[in-house]
Amino acid sequence: MVSTVVFWLAAAVAIVGAGGVLLAKHPVHSALSLVLNLAALGVLFLLLHAEFLAVVEILVYAGAVMVLFLFVVTLLMAGTKTPRDEGRFRLAYQYLLAGLFGLILFVLVAHALVGADWMSSLAATNAGGSFGSIAAFGTALFTKYLLPFELTAVVLLVAVIGVIFLGREHGATRK
Amino acid sequence: MQDAIGILLLPALGSLIAAVFGRALGRKATSYITVGAMAAAFLWTVSVVWRLLALPPAQRSFDPVYWQWIHAGALQVHFGLLIDPLSATFLLIVTGIGFLIHLYSIGYMEGDPNFQRFFSYLNLFALAMLLLVTADNFLFLLVGWGGVGVASYLLIGFWHTRPSAVTAARKALVLNVAGDVGIMLALFILVMTLGRVSYAGVFSHVSSLTSLQVELVAFLLYLGAAAKSAQFPLHVWLPDAMEGPTPVSALIHAATMVTAGVYLVARAYPIFHAAPVAAEWVAGIGAFTALFAATIAIVQNDIKRVIAYSTVSQLGYMFLAVGISAYAAGIFHLTMHAFFKALLFLGAGSVIHALSNEQDMRKMGGLKKYMPITYWTFLIGAAANAGVPLFSGFFSKDAILGQALASGHFWLWLVGVVAAFFSALYIFRLFFLVFHGKYRGDAHPHESPPVMTVPLVVLSIGALLGGYVAVPGAWNLFDQWLQPVFSRYPGGILPAAAAAPNWGAIALTSVIVLAAVYVAWRYFAGDVVREELPAALRPIHKVLYNKYYIDELGHAVFVWTVDRLAILADLFDRVVVDGIGMGMARLVWGWGEALSPYESGYIRRYGLAVLIGGVCVVAFLTLVQ
Amino acid sequence: MNFPVINPLSVLPEIILLATSIVALFIALFLPDRRGHQLNYLGLVGVLAAIAVLPMLWAKVEVGFGGAIVSDHFALAMDAAILVSALAAFLLGLREVEPGADYVALVLWAALGMMVLTSAVELLSIFLGLEVLSLPLYVLAGFRRDRTTSKEAAMKYLLMGAFSSGIFLYGLAFLYGATGKVSLASIQAAILQNFTSHPLFLEIGAGLVAVGLAFKLALVPFHQWVPDVYEGSPTPVTAFMSVGTKAAAFGALVRILTVALPAGIVHWQPLIAFLAVLTLLFGNLAALRQTNMKRMLAYSGIAQAGYLVVAIAANSQMGVGAGMFYVVAYAFMNIGAFAVVAALSGQNEEGAEIASYRGLAYRRPWLAVSMTVFLLALASIPPLVGFPGKFYILRAAVSSGGVLLAIAIVVGTMISLYYYLRPVLLMFTHSEETESPFPATAHWTAHVTVGVMLAGTLVLGILPGLLTGPLQNAVHAIYGL
Amino acid sequence: MLDLLFFLPIAGAILLFLLPQRVARPVAFAVALLTLVVSCVLIPSAFSAGGSYGLLTSVTWVQAWGIHWALGLDGLSLVLTILTTLITTVAIAWTPSRDRTYYVLFLLLEAFSLGTFLAADLFMFYVFWEAMIIPAYLLIAGYGGQRRARAALKFLIYSLAPSLLMLVAIVGLGYEAFLQLGHWSFSLMALRHLVLPVGVQMWVFAGFAVAFLVKIPVFPFHSWMPDAYAEAPAPVTAMLSAVLSKTALYGFLRIALPLMPVAAHRFAPALAVLALISILYGAIVALAQRDGKLVIGYSSLSHLGLVLLGIAALSYTGLEGAVLQMVNHGIYIAALFLLFGVVEERLGTRDLQGMGGLEARGPILAGLFLVAVLTALGLPGLQGFAGEITVLSGIYLVHPVWAWIAVVSVILAAAYFIRLFQKVAHGTAPTEGHEGKRPEIGGVQIALVAPLILLMFVLGFYPNPVPRAVSRPLKSVTQTVGVATTPRPAATSEVAGK
Amino acid sequence: MVPLSYYLILSALLFSIGTVGVLVRRNPLQMFMSIELMWNAVNLSFITFARQYTNMAGHVFVFLVITVAAAEVAIGLAIIVVVFRTREHADVDELNAMKG
């Protein structure tokens, strides 16, 4: 019962957060809305027995990543300026079409989901066994999914080298 | 008779040598070679004829085959020569008169910068003509047929810097080719129906053709013959062809080539015999042409043009003859005509030569005293042409008219008689205008050199005496000579030919002819040319002088139309056909251009495309299935 | 814990690339910056070493990481195309991009990601492969930070790439959701045993995954980033990604669609066919009006992807073989064309304007003739490699009943003749100008690239049999999964 | 030996790259001549007994696709091979070029054309067919007249685009082979054994036909022709018209008719209509041209229309005539273009209004041109007539009406060819300019064109070798097409081919 | 008890909002945030599915996605900084030097 209430609350918060990202004029507001959304998602993860990921979501995402965002927002002086107004309607029907097709996408997917009858039979509580535990997670990560895990190392390397390259003053390091 | 091909090879070699080495050999050597080739060919022909005569009449036919020309499906043709009295007659005419005209040309063409080329063309013509008359099948007949057309084209346009000569040459060629097409089509029908094109093969199977087919073949053959022999309304090229040098007119447009049509009809007599409609048509058009051309000839002022229309008229007589199946008579007239018409042309050439290329008779007159040889020979020629009794033309023309009457073609006979009156009138008008009265020109007339007068004399002997091979009521050597040819297949001999001569008719024609000569003498032998005409005659004169406006009509109907059509088609090609291709290209390009706005450079727009595309994909997969 | 059998052989080329990149980064610490470009040769050696081990691995199918990745013939063939394009990135890079350890490492990693994408048989690795491929390319596209167009390319690529990755990821989620499995084999097995939670999940998953890969393959309407990014990126990078990315995405699409998702149950076939036709028509039409060689080649690349996807739409072993052949063919001719552009360019893409090619045949005959060969090959004129490539695809299309697809290919090719052959005409037209816009000489490596690609274009064009036999095995391998 | 025929010019082309510029012309000529000699040496082997080909080389080319490197020589390919080698030999050395590439491209053009005629495998046929277009394209683009760029591109796109439909058709045939024989095959001999469903025949035939019709060209697909013929240098135009157009007609005989007999019957009326339009249309448009080269070009449209009509008649005689006319057309059209090229070069214009007087100033050239013109207009006794009469009688046998219509063009041909000749040769020379150069043909060119002129006479009076050479292949074609040919004498009882 | 499909529908809603966000925002940072929204919506789906099948693969997937997203954000932000540092406005619409 509690979980139902928590779900609806978290869902509402997540939607509000998403709406904030979508609508907020200032990027900082958007970023904060996204943090809200991510936090709500963390709660939902908990409900689904993904405790570890809930923590990761909140720590890494809502924490580290979003801080990075805010950092850049403030770094870019230009970022604080809103785009020129005269350009707003340059792609006038962009808004209309984006909204429309976003809606259609949602309807299409939701249509498929609603039609899936197995969905109603879920017990939110104890799924049994070690599902969702850190141990199970670690086992999976280091055994069955070792290759993707290894590949994340490359991804991070790319990030490091890429950011170093991009962050370097152009032409300062060569010649 | 295998060696008869030598008659063809001689002029072929002569032509080739004159064409390739003419410049190196020089004028004299070239003329010796080419004239020599003709002389040798003539002698060779004589020997062939001699050997023919040595045989019994029924065996006077040889058909040596030399090689297989083509063997492609239904079309199987051999190259072979047919030597029989008919072709031998033509061989004699072509090589004999051809030799004389070659000889004459040495004098006439003296001083022309393209002397060698001229002789090369002359020999080429002789080759083609010989091939035409000796071929043993329709296909090689067509080869010779086309060959004489081209040689004639080359010779008409010989003085190619004259625009009128160039035009005349083109006209002649195109009309001749139109005639060739007729023969080609006839040939296709024969190939389709009989699978044969050789004379022997075709003629012995004529009976297996339906009457429609045979009429069609006959008409198509006649189309070719009419074009070549200048029958109405395809005659228009012949007077224009007088733009060529005069020996050419004599050889090609009087003595030989234009008679090829008569030869064709005579040769194909089994077909025409089986096609009565076509045969009547041939005779009718022939008679009409005889009258029609003769009337035009009366009012022309150009000496060669008069003789040209005279030729057309005489050819009409010949077609009249072959149309009523009086083949031997037709060929007889053809032979006589070869003599006197060549004589007339060469005589005219002699006059023109003497007057420094003056051709207008109004500027001649009184030449009798300057050019006696030309005068006397020309007189013989004119008399023969007019059919003055006891001259060769008299015998041959009366043979035709007599058989027309005897075979029941009264109207044709009547037209022939009327035409005979005009024939005498125009030729003696010419004669008196040129040789009698006072000289009206400003050149210095003089007699031509012997190289030109000797042929005149020789021909005049033929024109004077040739007719006596067939004296009505007495003997007819000519018919006997040709008899084996025309008795091989049914229909060659007119039953009426055996009938006794109609002395009344002969007398009537003779009187009419003499009356015409008198009228001519009365009106045209004076010192001055009478320009004024009675008012009633003026419109008639105008129509006649303008040749019934046939040239203009033909020009308007064919030349003008085709030219306009060509320009339209060209426009169509450039605008529509090319336009469609280019238009499609431009359309495709336009599509490419039209895509440009979608590649707007805006990231969000790209994203929108991804979203829309993605939604469509999902919708397709989830809903359409 | 049961640790999986890693089997390093299955990822040997990947390991070589990774090791090379690490070594390069390490050496860079000790190397003076002005000699940084020499690391380029190290990268070259690394790629060559990776190519060298491919034949060794050909003998046997290696499965690694507990079945997450296989090194089968299909993967190896695609790896070859990818490595060749990586080779081009190094060979052509010396002049335009001022390469250092970063360039070398990024190219190697991108190549690694591509190779993983083609050989991974499990959704997580596929996703990681896609990301390892994408992230370095975002940076590489903007490698010439001094150029507005390069930066713009990076930005557009990044935003669109991340956006489409999201869509792709959602598709993976649905594939996972439909069966609860992540390995392609077990997904296929589940589908075949009718053990799916909801058939629509499969359809949605297939659709979204296809969209994500179609984005990488540059299929219409997911292609719009391509012209901008290809034009803006440094030419060596363009050459690299135009071929490598397509090969990788093709590999993944083949593995996911034709192998894991039987067309009889998941109805992607008409969809892919439609996308293919749309793509090849659109690409060809849009290429007509281009004046920039790189942009023209970008649109041409879109069209070529259309042909390639026809091979998938054929949904047959022959189709897969045809697609593989075409990838290799495309590698040779497309890289060749870009190599000529690079050879004609100094620092500033002088070789990009088509108009400046006028009279090239009389000034730089070797490059002009080579360019002619590459363009003719792209136009699929025999006896160049593009022709057997297209022939193979037509063959696959016709034999799966897709005569209309074949006609579409033909119509597209007809349109393409114009833009492929106009530069040829231009090169062979005498020019009045004496001033050449191009630098007088090209780096020798560019000539080598042109030469190698020319050889490939000609040899495989004349003797396609060299490749068709091995590819046949490769196809059997992938279906034998 | 057959491969030699193809590789000889290829080797020559490579050799030319290595040799200095100044020997390019003689070497190219020598290579072409050698090829001609080889093709003549092969004459006896084309008729040796055995299968449908007298000489056949076949090596597996692409195993997986069932493609063979197969070259076959029979009477049909032989006559066209000799035509190709002959015309190339004459044309390649016709005008000196300052550029070695010219000769290289020319030899490549020869090699690929030969390949097309010799290919015994459809895949190879297509490869050569397409490859042939490229050197031709570059020859027009690199050495043509003022508007060559447009002309070349147009030629190229018109040539290549429809060929792609043919490619689809070829693939379709290969697939049918797979369905029926169990393996992919493009071998002409193997494909003959197929029994194709009518529907397949129809679309496959259509694919081939479109490609062929454009290449011939036939109305309304000819609009590349005026540009390309006019702008290409004379020897290249000669090759385009004399050789390249024949590849398409050959394609009908070798591929389209025997492999798709039912479709051939169904399409024949359509082909005939197009052919008839081409015949008349080409002739009419030729009358209006001011550009001499285009008069010849449109005449070619008309004459090749007649050849196509002969093919569409589907009668044995028609086919024999068509092949004969192909050979004849190849010879006289090449001579016409080459000789007119000299006129153009000397006078500096192609505009007929600005010409004239050649007969006086260049009598040899005028004489040679005259012979070529007379041959072209079908003067009986010259070679053009032989083909014309055979093909027309072949048509008449089956469709008299077609022949009646087509024969009109003979008259028109006389009109436009004579107009052409008269504009060039007659009248007075243009007064302005051109006085410097004597409009006479050079000795080398006389020697080069002499064989062609000679052939016009020889084949005019003895055309039989050509129909005899092609009778066996054509009989096998008509047998497949299943048309009752005309009653032939007993000699035909021997069965040719399969 | 809330059926699992609710989670998935929520996920779909968030995903759709994310996509719309990418398409309507002109500030690159906000676009990027919208993309993060999409990715996280997917994460929710993964975890839901994992819960349904009690299968850890979904969890691992989410973990990897978060890692990759972090790296992507790092690179993305760096590129945004490079591009827009010199510009007055952070407006992706101004990036249209290349088009057509």
Side-chain angles (χ1 to χ4, degrees), chain B residues 34-45:
Chain B
T34 49
V35 176
M38 286 309 292
F42 177 65
L43 293 177
W44 200 316
T45 308

PDB file of all heavy atoms in Angstrom, chain B residues 34-45:
ATOM      1  N   THR B  34      39.741   5.257-123.479  1.00  0.00           N
ATOM      2  CA  THR B  34      38.306   5.117-123.270  1.00  0.00           C
ATOM      3  C   THR B  34      37.577   4.900-124.599  1.00  0.00           C
ATOM      4  O   THR B  34      36.701   4.041-124.696  1.00  0.00           O
ATOM      5  CB  THR B  34      37.743   6.353-122.562  1.00  0.00           C
ATOM      6  OG1 THR B  34      38.225   7.515-123.245  1.00  0.00           O
ATOM      7  CG2 THR B  34      38.173   6.392-121.121  1.00  0.00           C
ATOM      8  N   VAL B  35      37.935   5.687-125.594  1.00  0.00           N
ATOM      9  CA  VAL B  35      37.293   5.504-126.892  1.00  0.00           C
ATOM     10  C   VAL B  35      37.658   4.143-127.449  1.00  0.00           C
ATOM     11  O   VAL B  35      36.816   3.422-127.996  1.00  0.00           O
ATOM     12  CB  VAL B  35      37.695   6.646-127.848  1.00  0.00           C
ATOM     13  CG1 VAL B  35      37.111   6.391-129.226  1.00  0.00           C
ATOM     14  CG2 VAL B  35      37.228   7.973-127.311  1.00  0.00           C
ATOM     15  N   GLY B  36      38.909   3.761-127.238  1.00  0.00           N
ATOM     16  CA  GLY B  36      39.357   2.445-127.686  1.00  0.00           C
ATOM     17  C   GLY B  36      38.572   1.342-127.003  1.00  0.00           C
ATOM     18  O   GLY B  36      38.189   0.347-127.643  1.00  0.00           O
ATOM     19  N   ALA B  37      38.310   1.533-125.739  1.00  0.00           N
ATOM     20  CA  ALA B  37      37.547   0.532-125.017  1.00  0.00           C
ATOM     21  C   ALA B  37      36.177   0.363-125.646  1.00  0.00           C
ATOM     22  O   ALA B  37      35.678  -0.761-125.840  1.00  0.00           O
ATOM     23  CB  ALA B  37      37.408   0.930-123.538  1.00  0.00           C
ATOM     24  N   MET B  38      35.569   1.482-126.011  1.00  0.00           N
ATOM     25  CA  MET B  38      34.247   1.409-126.621  1.00  0.00           C
ATOM     26  C   MET B  38      34.321   0.740-127.993  1.00  0.00           C
ATOM     27  O   MET B  38      33.462  -0.079-128.354  1.00  0.00           O
ATOM     28  CB  MET B  38      33.638   2.809-126.749  1.00  0.00           C
ATOM     29  CG  MET B  38      33.149   3.390-125.447  1.00  0.00           C
ATOM     30  SD  MET B  38      32.075   2.295-124.537  1.00  0.00           S
ATOM     31  CE  MET B  38      30.657   2.280-125.604  1.00  0.00           C
ATOM     32  N   ALA B  39      35.341   1.102-128.717  1.00  0.00           N
ATOM     33  CA  ALA B  39      35.494   0.520-130.042  1.00  0.00           C
ATOM     34  C   ALA B  39      35.656  -0.992-129.930  1.00  0.00           C
ATOM     35  O   ALA B  39      35.005  -1.777-130.643  1.00  0.00           O
ATOM     36  CB  ALA B  39      36.697   1.140-130.733  1.00  0.00           C
ATOM     37  N   ALA B  40      36.502  -1.396-128.992  1.00  0.00           N
ATOM     38  CA  ALA B  40      36.742  -2.824-128.821  1.00  0.00           C
ATOM     39  C   ALA B  40      35.465  -3.521-128.379  1.00  0.00           C
ATOM     40  O   ALA B  40      35.131  -4.621-128.851  1.00  0.00           O
ATOM     41  CB  ALA B  40      37.850  -3.037-127.794  1.00  0.00           C
ATOM     42  N   ALA B  41      34.744  -2.856-127.516  1.00  0.00           N
ATOM     43  CA  ALA B  41      33.498  -3.448-127.052  1.00  0.00           C
ATOM     44  C   ALA B  41      32.525  -3.617-128.208  1.00  0.00           C
ATOM     45  O   ALA B  41      31.815  -4.621-128.315  1.00  0.00           O
ATOM     46  CB  ALA B  41      32.879  -2.571-125.961  1.00  0.00           C
ATOM     47  N   PHE B  42      32.520  -2.616-129.097  1.00  0.00           N
ATOM     48  CA  PHE B  42      31.634  -2.702-130.249  1.00  0.00           C
ATOM     49  C   PHE B  42      32.006  -3.880-131.130  1.00  0.00           C
ATOM     50  O   PHE B  42      31.155  -4.675-131.538  1.00  0.00           O
ATOM     51  CB  PHE B  42      31.691  -1.392-131.033  1.00  0.00           C
ATOM     52  CG  PHE B  42      30.849  -1.423-132.279  1.00  0.00           C
ATOM     53  CD1 PHE B  42      29.475  -1.542-132.203  1.00  0.00           C
ATOM     54  CD2 PHE B  42      31.437  -1.352-133.542  1.00  0.00           C
ATOM     55  CE1 PHE B  42      28.697  -1.579-133.339  1.00  0.00           C
ATOM     56  CE2 PHE B  42      30.666  -1.399-134.690  1.00  0.00           C
ATOM     57  CZ  PHE B  42      29.284  -1.507-134.586  1.00  0.00           C
ATOM     58  N   LEU B  43      33.305  -4.002-131.396  1.00  0.00           N
ATOM     59  CA  LEU B  43      33.756  -5.097-132.244  1.00  0.00           C
ATOM     60  C   LEU B  43      33.415  -6.435-131.597  1.00  0.00           C
ATOM     61  O   LEU B  43      32.964  -7.376-132.254  1.00  0.00           O
ATOM     62  CB  LEU B  43      35.254  -4.983-132.488  1.00  0.00           C
ATOM     63  CG  LEU B  43      35.638  -3.761-133.342  1.00  0.00           C
ATOM     64  CD1 LEU B  43      37.145  -3.666-133.486  1.00  0.00           C
ATOM     65  CD2 LEU B  43      34.969  -3.847-134.715  1.00  0.00           C
ATOM     66  N   TRP B  44      33.621  -6.472-130.310  1.00  0.00           N
ATOM     67  CA  TRP B  44      33.328  -7.701-129.570  1.00  0.00           C
ATOM     68  C   TRP B  44      31.838  -8.037-129.719  1.00  0.00           C
ATOM     69  O   TRP B  44      31.431  -9.175-129.974  1.00  0.00           O
ATOM     70  CB  TRP B  44      33.681  -7.496-128.103  1.00  0.00           C
ATOM     71  CG  TRP B  44      33.894  -8.757-127.331  1.00  0.00           C
ATOM     72  CD1 TRP B  44      33.140  -9.883-127.373  1.00  0.00           C
ATOM     73  CD2 TRP B  44      34.940  -9.012-126.402  1.00  0.00           C
ATOM     74  NE1 TRP B  44      33.636 -10.832-126.540  1.00  0.00           N
ATOM     75  CE2 TRP B  44      34.746 -10.320-125.913  1.00  0.00           C
ATOM     76  CE3 TRP B  44      36.023  -8.267-125.918  1.00  0.00           C
ATOM     77  CZ2 TRP B  44      35.603 -10.893-124.973  1.00  0.00           C
ATOM     78  CZ3 TRP B  44      36.849  -8.832-124.984  1.00  0.00           C
ATOM     79  CH2 TRP B  44      36.657 -10.144-124.522  1.00  0.00           C
ATOM     80  N   THR B  45      31.015  -7.006-129.582  1.00  0.00           N
ATOM     81  CA  THR B  45      29.575  -7.199-129.731  1.00  0.00           C
ATOM     82  C   THR B  45      29.239  -7.736-131.124  1.00  0.00           C
ATOM     83  O   THR B  45      28.416  -8.656-131.277  1.00  0.00           O
ATOM     84  CB  THR B  45      28.839  -5.871-129.505  1.00  0.00           C
ATOM     85  OG1 THR B  45      29.269  -5.328-128.276  1.00  0.00           O
ATOM     86  CG2 THR B  45      27.347  -6.074-129.469  1.00  0.00           C
TER      87      THR B  45
END
